[in-house]
Amino acid sequence: MVGNMNQKRLGYIYLVITFIIWGSIYVVAKYALAVIPPLTVLLGRYALSVLILYVILKKKGMKKIERADRKYFIIIGSVGYFVSIGFQLIGTNLLDASLASLINALNPVFIPLIAALVLKERVSLRRIAGIAISVAGVYAILGVGGGELSLAGIAASICSVTFWSVSSVMVRKVAGKYDPIQIAFVGMAIALCFNIPASIWELSTTPCRFTLPAVLSLIYLAVVCTALAHTLWNKSLQLLSAGTCSMLYPLQPLTSAVLGVLLLHEQITTGFVIGAVVISAGILIAVKE
């Protein structure tokens, strides 16, 4: 009994660290995005992350991907890791870090909707209520998140959430067969196949400079936000239920808001706080077991 409690306590510690790290992504990425265009930031992040995850998996061993599962990995890599995270960076570039993070924290709300459409899963009334409350929170917060509102940034962040939810549903098709770190590794490797030509095109039309803060930001995004955070998230899922893990999602935008104020001097208005509370309530209702 005591061992179980200690394992759960350790799981919560891993979980808190994970969401704090993920919340920092939106602030740290601003330093890279200041001088490097979004798709090139994504390329740098994945190139280093793939190397790190490869070293980890080389020690653990990798399972051969079955032919029937290849289509799911292609969707995970192209739609999830390339399109979704690309939109996430574009949204982060156009919005305050706190607002971009808050919109992207809606993943636990969107995933049941996509699962209902793709996997024909039933959506409970509780989840519908949570989704409605979260949408009301987004409506309350738009335009009052500190600074001028960028409709393109809002659209990019919503696209990011939507495409990541599609990818997450595809992950569920292969999650029982493969190590989660292997799924992330293969997904990022596939994303690089799309990311490299996209970045070459981007650099031909957009100026780019590799300053020390930008390079350090890229290293942090790859090592801490990808390799370390994915490992801690996987460990959390081993010790706690997926529903319990999802309930701590509001820590992500909270971290982004605090770091945004401290490091980027962003303004957090009363409307932003009210909207954040409403969205967080909707997330908790949607994922509550």
Side-chain angles (χ1 to χ4, degrees):
M1 188 70 171
V2 175
N4 266 346
M5 290 299 292
N6 287 334
Q7 289 293 305
K8 284 189 175 182
R9 190 175 293 113
L10 192 59
Y12 280 113
I13 292 172
Y14 289 150
L15 206 53
V16 169
I17 294 173
T18 299
F19 280 115
I20 288 175
I21 290 173
W22 281 345
S24 71
I25 288 176
Y26 301 88
V27 176
V28 174
K30 286 284 190 180
Y31 292 97
L33 291 167
V35 291
I36 305 174
L39 294 179
T40 305
V41 170
L42 190 63
L43 175 62
R45 176 182 175 182
Y46 283 163
L48 185 53
S49 297
V50 162
L51 290 176
I52 295 169
L53 294 177
Y54 175 75
V55 172
I56 295 172
L57 286 169
K58 194 173 182 182
K59 295 179 181 179
K60 296 182 66 175
M62 282 189 284
K63 180 180 178 181
K64 183 178 179 181
I65 297 174
E66 298 174 13
R67 182 182 295 273
D69 294 331
R70 291 175 186 174
K71 59 180 177 292
Y72 299 124
F73 277 96
I74 292 173
I75 294 173
I76 291 166
S78 59
V79 175
Y81 283 98
F82 175 60
V83 177
S84 172
I85 305 303
F87 273 124
Q88 182 193 88
L89 285 171
I90 292 170
T92 302
N93 192 37
L94 296 173
L95 299 171
D96 285 351
S98 51
L99 182 53
S101 177
L102 189 59
I103 294 173
N104 279 276
L106 290 170
N107 274 306
V109 176
F110 272 60
I111 289 173
L113 290 178
I114 301 298
L117 292 173
V118 177
L119 303 179
K120 308 303 180 185
E121 291 184 358
R122 181 176 156 274
V123 182
S124 67
L125 289 176
R126 186 192 69 248
R127 287 188 182 275
I128 292 173
I131 292 166
I133 291 171
S134 294
V135 170
V138 171
Y139 179 79
I141 208 170
L142 292 184
V144 294
E148 292 184 4
L149 173 68
S150 167
L151 293 179
I154 294 290
S157 294
I158 292 175
C159 284
S160 173
V161 173
T162 304
F163 286 118
W164 186 258
S165 298
V166 172
S167 173
S168 297
V169 171
M170 294 299 106
V171 168
R172 288 166 63 173
K173 292 279 193 179
V174 297
K177 297 181 182 179
Y178 308 94
D179 187 296
I181 296 179
Q182 181 179 351
I183 294 173
F185 167 75
V186 175
M188 289 180 197
I190 291 172
L192 280 175
C193 298
F194 297 91
N195 207 156
I196 291 171
S199 180
I200 291 173
W201 170 81
E202 183 181 59
L203 290 173
S204 70
T205 60
T206 311
C208 175
R209 289 186 299 117
F210 290 94
T211 62
L212 181 59
V215 172
L216 292 176
S217 172
L218 283 177
I219 294 173
Y220 177 84
L221 290 172
V223 177
V224 179
C225 298
T226 304
L228 176 60
H230 269 279
T231 301
L232 292 177
W233 175 251
N234 293 334
K235 287 183 177 293
S236 300
L237 288 172
Q238 290 173 355
L239 299 172
L240 302 167
S241 71
T244 300
C245 291
S246 296
M247 289 186 72
L248 269 71
Y249 243 102
L251 275 178
Q252 175 184 304
L254 174 62
T255 300
S256 298
V258 171
L259 292 178
V261 171
L262 294 177
L263 300 179
L264 303 177
H265 309 294
E266 294 181 353
Q267 296 179 356
I268 303 299
T269 65
T270 303
F272 183 93
V273 173
I274 293 172
V277 170
V278 173
I279 289 174
S280 297
I283 292 172
L284 293 178
I285 291 171
V287 304
K288 188 176 185 299
E289 294 177 305

